[in-house]
Amino acid sequence: MFEKFDWQSDHLRLGDLLFRLEHFRNKDWAHGHNYFALYKVKELFDQYESYFASKANFQAKNIIELGVWDGGSLAIWSELFFPSKLIGIDFKSDRGDSDYFKRYIESRKLADKVRTYWGTDQGDRRAVSEIVDREFQDPIDLIIDDASHLYGPTKSSFELLFPRMREGGIYIIEDWAWLHWPEFNDDPYFSGQVGLTKLVIELTEMIGSARATPPANLTVMPGFIAVEKTALNLSDGKPFRIDDYICRRTTAKLGPPQKVRSLG
């Protein structure tokens, strides 16, 4: 899928679509005003290419993306998977669809397939649930969470949406490792926040607790984690909570991090 990408120093082209790479924004821009503003880098898509190469038969007909920004990644997923329904949810109420995004939808005749919901927080379980109930009659194949990156809302979205996925569906959480990136040390948005590493550990505990019949497989990449649903029995009708599927021995604890001795 990713061989279609044409990466340049400050932009990406995908067919007739233009994406301005915001991490490399400069004053020498010479490509006009019609583009998607994209806060993603080539290294991330290289990881996606590596991951999906191991899922050669994976198809995504029903997709949700949490965190839309300028709609660029929605267009990318649409061009890669050609889904029957692609829904974007974003908490920003003052942005809305850009003119470039609107022209993209019109040019591809995607009005019935690609829809955006602005002003919806990913942690608002009732609002997100209503959107999903309205838009999807069948289980979801792929979910990409590029929204708050905060532990509480991210976990809330996962617990709400993961049970609605089909077996073999993939739930992706981007930028899980921000707690470990030095450039985020002084970022006021993340100041005092719980890192998503905690959620990654809890998902690992859930899988380990299930032993022979885990509800998911977990793949950890530097730029995202991918949780592939294997099986999850919710016939009792109770809301899904990760903590309910974790077993911890009360007599053992995780020790503090140890310094690694250099072998050089």
Side-chain angles (χ1 to χ4, degrees):
M1 300 184 294
F2 297 88
E3 68 275 1
K4 304 175 184 178
F5 286 22
D6 178 14
W7 292 95
Q8 301 298 323
S9 60
D10 61 356
H11 67 276
L12 162 68
R13 289 192 182 275
L14 179 57
D16 61 340
L17 300 178
L18 176 64
F19 303 81
R20 186 170 186 174
L21 304 179
E22 293 298 309
H23 290 292
F24 305 100
R25 175 179 280 266
N26 58 69
K27 296 180 180 179
D28 298 326
W29 182 257
H31 303 285
H33 302 287
N34 295 313
Y35 57 81
F36 288 113
L38 188 66
Y39 279 95
K40 298 184 188 296
V41 295
K42 182 179 184 298
E43 289 76 12
L44 176 64
F45 283 102
D46 286 344
Q47 293 169 41
Y48 272 125
E49 183 174 17
S50 175
Y51 175 74
F52 281 112
S54 67
K55 309 291 179 185
N57 296 321
F58 179 75
Q59 296 184 351
K61 295 301 181 184
N62 293 315
I63 304 176
I64 297 175
E65 182 171 45
L66 303 172
V68 175
W69 188 245
D70 198 41
S73 53
L74 279 176
I76 288 174
W77 299 125
S78 179
E79 293 295 301
L80 292 182
F81 288 106
F82 302 104
S84 300
K85 182 63 68 71
L86 171 57
I87 299 301
I89 298 173
D90 198 288
F91 84 105
K92 286 281 189 178
S93 59
D94 57 349
R95 289 190 61 88
D97 297 340
S98 69
D99 290 339
Y100 192 64
F101 181 84
K102 292 176 182 177
R103 288 197 295 273
Y104 166 70
I105 296 299
E106 183 178 355
S107 68
R108 301 295 203 274
K109 295 180 172 56
L110 295 174
D112 293 332
K113 294 185 177 182
V114 180
R115 295 178 181 171
T116 52
Y117 286 85
W118 297 93
T120 303
D121 192 303
Q122 72 170 136
D124 187 338
R125 297 173 64 92
R126 180 175 180 178
V128 174
S129 183
E130 288 176 352
I131 292 171
V132 175
D133 288 343
R134 182 185 312 121
E135 295 289 354
F136 296 101
Q137 285 70 52
D138 298 320
I140 303 162
D141 302 296
L142 177 65
I143 298 174
I144 307 101
D145 184 345
D146 187 24
S148 71
H149 303 316
L150 302 180
Y151 170 76
T154 303
K155 183 175 182 178
S156 176
S157 297
F158 182 88
E159 291 181 329
L160 174 67
L161 296 176
F162 189 67
R164 298 174 182 242
M165 304 190 78
R166 66 169 173 86
E167 290 189 19
I170 298 171
Y171 196 115
I172 289 172
I173 301 175
E174 291 188 354
D175 298 332
W176 70 270
W178 63 259
L179 180 65
H180 311 285
W181 295 340
E183 61 268 31
F184 284 82
N185 284 347
D186 300 321
D187 191 319
Y189 176 79
F190 291 106
S191 178
Q193 298 290 345
V194 177
L196 286 181
T197 310
K198 178 178 172 63
L199 179 57
V200 177
I201 292 173
E202 290 174 346
L203 291 169
T204 305
E205 291 180 304
M206 178 183 73
I207 294 171
S209 298
R211 302 179 69 180
T213 56
N217 292 321
L218 177 64
T219 301
V220 180
M221 307 289 280
F224 64 88
I225 63 168
V227 189
E228 181 181 358
K229 186 176 179 182
T230 55
L232 188 64
N233 182 9
L234 293 177
S235 58
D236 56 9
K238 294 181 180 179
F240 169 61
R241 296 176 66 253
I242 294 173
D243 294 350
D244 292 340
Y245 289 81
I246 295 175
C247 177
R248 297 187 182 99
R249 290 179 57 188
T250 58
T251 57
K253 296 182 179 180
L254 291 174
Q258 302 294 316
K259 290 185 177 180
V260 178
R261 181 172 63 86
S262 173
L263 299 178

